[in-house]
Amino acid sequence: METDSPAPRSIVIVGGGTSGWMTASYLAAAFGDRVSITLVESGRIGTIGVGEATFSDIRHFFDFLGLDETEWMPACNATYKLAVRFENWRRPGHHFYHPFEQMRSVDGFPLTDWWLREPVTDRFDRDCFVIASLCDAGRNPRHLDGRLFEQDFVERRDGNARSTIAAYQGAQIPYAYHFEAHLLAKFLTGYATQRGVRHVVDDVDDVAVDGRGWVTHVRTREHGDLTGDLFVDCTGFRALLLNKKLAEPFVSYQDTLPNDSAVALQVPLDMAARGIRPCTTATAQDAGWIWTIPLFGRIGTGYVYARDYCEPEEAERVLREFVGPEAADVPANHIRMRIGRSRNSWVNNVVAVGLSSGFVEPLESTGIFFIHHAIEQLVKFFPGPDWNPTLRTMYNSAIAHCMDGVREFLVLHYKGAARDDNAYWRDAKTRVIPDGLAERLELWQTKLPDAETVFPYYHGLPPYSYMCILLGTGGIPLRPSPALRLADEQAARKEFQALRDKADELVRALPSQHEYFSRMRRQQSGL
């Protein structure tokens, strides 16, 4: 046991942005005034601003903070996200959805198995999920009066308990969010400081450690030394405390995920005329893919690519051409991405959260999910007076498993993509993949993924997500369970028809996103 340090009652968060202020807000909500929290951030370093799309579990974050959507969404130009829409991954002109929707089953077999046996149409996503139709029609998941659309997820609004990812594993929330990352950081700054978090705007010039390698304080340019018991490194890809000062090794994923760069644009558009599609779009390109994230007053867009196949100037040209003339005068933000994770995200009394901990490309919007998951795990394994190292070990295991699992899932997108029209996409079929994924691919070609055959540790992605990517990308041969040859398909046919009827009903009944959020804003302003 490590007993030379006091129980952590003083927390110093180094770095702001989304990761820093999410951490400060969550810890303030979890511990109240029983700990003191200081966040120091430079006034000269801006947020990267790529992380504008989220995972559906993010609703637990706002629930834990006690925030209603009407409080924070208008302030962050936020919209709903029901799915990820993948365009051109199989062939030009083809698209499919990975929706936030629980998979239905008939007689113990998922609908996707029945669909493989006897497809209703050539669109597995529309045949097996309601949300695909809502996305195609541009529908909002809530009625104008705020009621959530009718599906299997039951909303709890009693206010008596704060929800967490850990408590709701297996319960599929039917939507996530799009928001402006810098506006969310600004909103959470107000939330956290109102709850006692000290905010210091200054540059950190030095990090001091004692003889054991534990951080004692950070030295700032104008505010002197900031001391603490526990330090949270939210300094982004620099990983100032964890990697630079404590020299914790970095485990690269570059051999399996070669995309290492991005160029991003924030493009103002008339979203009332354009419409706010309720999904993130990932459009395959010659050296990667382009994201499109619709917000209330603009889109966020960017090209994620591999420099081995494309130069930054070419990537920017392709992105501007993709967006059209509206992007002509919009400044571009070029980003080098560090793909992988720190060997351990918690070393001594330093915990890295966000990009300083690790990052995979934003193909499934997992960046903010990693932040949220890490903060929850920190609260779960928060140390006591003895600083029991077993808590650190369990934390590091949970973080590593989560990132390694997401890595496997993203690799599947490229390995499974049917397109092979250039070197980038051909190489995706022969590139090394994690050993575990290679074994699982063999199994999935005989039987679709289930809870027994996906990555075995929690990483936020249920078996149906793997089914969607395999069925949508189209490059890996699949077949239905042999047992279905002997089964009566009448019940499955009825379920397919019931799902189609429900989708048609919701498309007629639900409003558009712009209509819904315009109404929310009017109500908030009292008009």
Side-chain angles (χ1 to χ4, degrees):
M1 300 297 181
E2 297 163 351
T3 58
D4 293 341
S5 295
R9 292 296 182 90
S10 175
I11 302 171
V12 176
I13 301 168
V14 183
T18 308
S19 61
W21 287 111
M22 283 182 67
T23 302
S25 298
Y26 199 95
L27 294 179
F31 299 136
D33 60 5
R34 293 173 292 282
V35 297
S36 68
I37 303 170
T38 298
L39 186 147
V40 55
E41 63 177 333
S42 172
R44 301 181 299 108
I45 301 175
T47 59
I48 288 180
V50 170
E52 296 178 322
T54 57
F55 220 47
S56 60
D57 288 333
I58 190 64
R59 269 199 61 187
H60 296 310
F61 174 82
F62 293 104
D63 177 82
F64 194 88
L65 268 57
L67 290 170
D68 188 81
E69 290 176 353
T70 58
E71 295 179 72
W72 71 269
M73 291 188 76
C76 300
N77 290 333
T79 60
Y80 290 124
K81 169 187 173 181
L82 302 179
V84 180
R85 174 184 169 115
F86 291 92
E87 296 184 351
N88 303 339
W89 289 71
R90 181 188 289 246
R91 62 179 180 273
H94 178 270
H95 78 272
F96 72 93
Y97 292 99
H98 171 201
F100 298 133
E101 184 175 350
Q102 200 72 40
M103 170 65 68
R104 294 160 178 80
S105 63
V106 173
D107 294 342
F109 292 93
L111 271 186
T112 45
D113 245 322
W114 292 100
W115 185 89
L116 275 174
R117 181 197 174 191
E118 188 177 342
V120 181
T121 71
D122 63 351
R123 288 280 304 278
F124 85 92
D125 50 354
R126 285 177 65 100
D127 292 341
C128 298
F129 299 96
V130 167
I131 280 179
S133 295
L134 302 187
C135 289
D136 278 343
R139 291 296 180 259
N140 192 68
R142 292 189 183 275
H143 296 273
L144 285 176
D145 62 6
R147 287 178 297 118
L148 188 61
F149 78 94
E150 302 81 357
Q151 36 71 62
D152 293 336
F153 177 77
V154 178
E155 245 185 336
R156 279 178 31 179
R157 289 189 174 275
D158 55 20
N160 293 326
R162 298 184 295 190
S163 64
T164 63
I165 296 172
Y168 279 78
Q169 287 183 24
Q172 178 60 66
I173 297 172
Y175 63 77
Y177 304 107
H178 299 132
F179 49 68
E180 295 203 39
H182 75 98
L183 291 180
L184 179 67
K186 179 181 178 181
F187 181 90
L188 293 178
T189 300
Y191 177 96
T193 53
Q194 288 169 15
R195 286 157 180 79
V197 173
R198 180 190 177 198
H199 183 198
V200 176
V201 180
D202 204 346
D203 294 309
V204 172
D205 287 336
D206 191 27
V207 180
V209 298
D210 62 18
R212 301 171 302 154
W214 287 48
V215 173
T216 57
H217 61 270
V218 294
R219 180 155 295 159
T220 65
R221 191 163 299 173
E222 298 177 4
H223 291 77
D225 295 345
L226 301 178
T227 61
D229 302 319
L230 181 72
F231 291 80
V232 184
D233 187 343
C234 294
T235 60
F237 289 135
R238 293 181 301 149
L240 179 64
L241 280 70
L242 185 74
N243 296 147
K244 287 195 174 179
K245 190 64 181 184
L246 300 188
E248 180 63 14
F250 185 76
V251 179
S252 176
Y253 291 166
Q254 205 72 52
D255 57 337
T256 56
L257 290 171
N259 292 346
D260 58 359
S261 301
V263 54
L265 301 172
Q266 297 179 356
V267 185
L269 292 171
D270 181 353
M271 300 305 286
R274 177 189 176 96
I276 301 173
R277 183 180 278 171
C279 57
T280 303
T281 301
T283 306
Q285 298 293 317
D286 286 347
W289 57 277
I290 288 175
W291 78 78
T292 304
I293 296 172
L295 302 165
F296 189 76
R298 67 168 175 86
I299 62 166
T301 186
Y303 188 0
V304 174
Y305 63 96
R307 287 210 181 194
D308 286 345
Y309 299 85
C310 181
E311 293 298 322
E313 296 76 17
E314 172 66 7
E316 181 177 337
R317 185 195 66 76
V318 169
L319 177 61
R320 291 187 183 279
E321 186 177 284
F322 178 85
V323 175
E326 296 88 350
D329 298 321
V330 176
N333 181 18
H334 286 269
I335 305 156
R336 287 301 298 264
M337 301 186 300
R338 187 180 71 154
I339 305 300
R341 62 171 173 84
S342 295
R343 183 183 62 183
N344 293 299
S345 291
W346 184 349
V347 176
N348 299 339
N349 64 335
V350 171
V351 180
V353 172
L355 301 179
S356 54
S357 169
F359 184 69
V360 294
E361 60 178 89
L363 184 55
E364 288 282 356
S365 308
T366 50
I368 291 174
F369 164 69
F370 285 150
I371 297 170
H372 181 198
H373 176 254
I375 302 166
E376 275 201 14
Q377 295 300 306
L378 176 57
V379 170
K380 179 180 178 180
F381 295 112
F382 202 77
D386 60 359
W387 285 81
N388 189 326
T390 302
L391 294 171
R392 274 203 309 270
T393 299
M394 290 190 289
Y395 176 92
N396 284 324
S397 179
I399 300 303
H401 286 323
C402 188
M403 291 191 183
D404 289 348
V406 170
R407 173 200 197 182
E408 274 202 17
F409 185 60
L410 297 194
V411 170
L412 177 62
H413 293 60
Y414 296 98
K415 186 71 173 178
R419 65 176 297 170
D420 62 353
D421 51 307
N422 66 10
Y424 176 89
W425 291 101
R426 286 191 293 271
D427 290 349
K429 312 301 180 293
T430 59
R431 186 172 294 114
V432 62
I433 63 175
D435 292 340
L437 178 59
E439 296 171 7
R440 285 183 261 282
L441 280 170
E442 290 292 323
L443 298 176
W444 297 337
Q445 291 179 63
T446 299
K447 185 179 182 301
L448 285 177
D450 60 22
E452 303 299 319
T453 59
V454 298
F455 188 80
Y457 300 98
Y458 177 74
H459 58 296
L461 294 151
Y464 90 85
S465 295
Y466 290 80
M467 296 180 197
C468 289
I469 300 307
L470 286 166
L471 290 165
T473 52
I476 295 173
L478 305 169
R479 45 191 156 172
S481 173
L484 293 186
R485 297 176 185 174
L486 306 175
D488 183 355
E489 72 278 6
Q490 292 306 312
R493 288 177 179 173
K494 289 180 180 178
E495 184 67 19
F496 282 125
Q497 186 58 51
L499 191 150
R500 167 57 51 211
D501 293 343
K502 173 58 73 174
D504 291 344
E505 174 189 335
L506 291 173
V507 166
R508 289 191 298 268
L510 290 168
S512 71
Q513 287 223 73
H514 197 275
E515 184 181 7
Y516 179 83
F517 286 109
S518 294
R519 187 172 188 268
M520 179 188 287
R521 286 164 176 256
R522 288 195 301 270
Q523 289 177 333
Q524 189 187 55
S525 62
L527 298 178

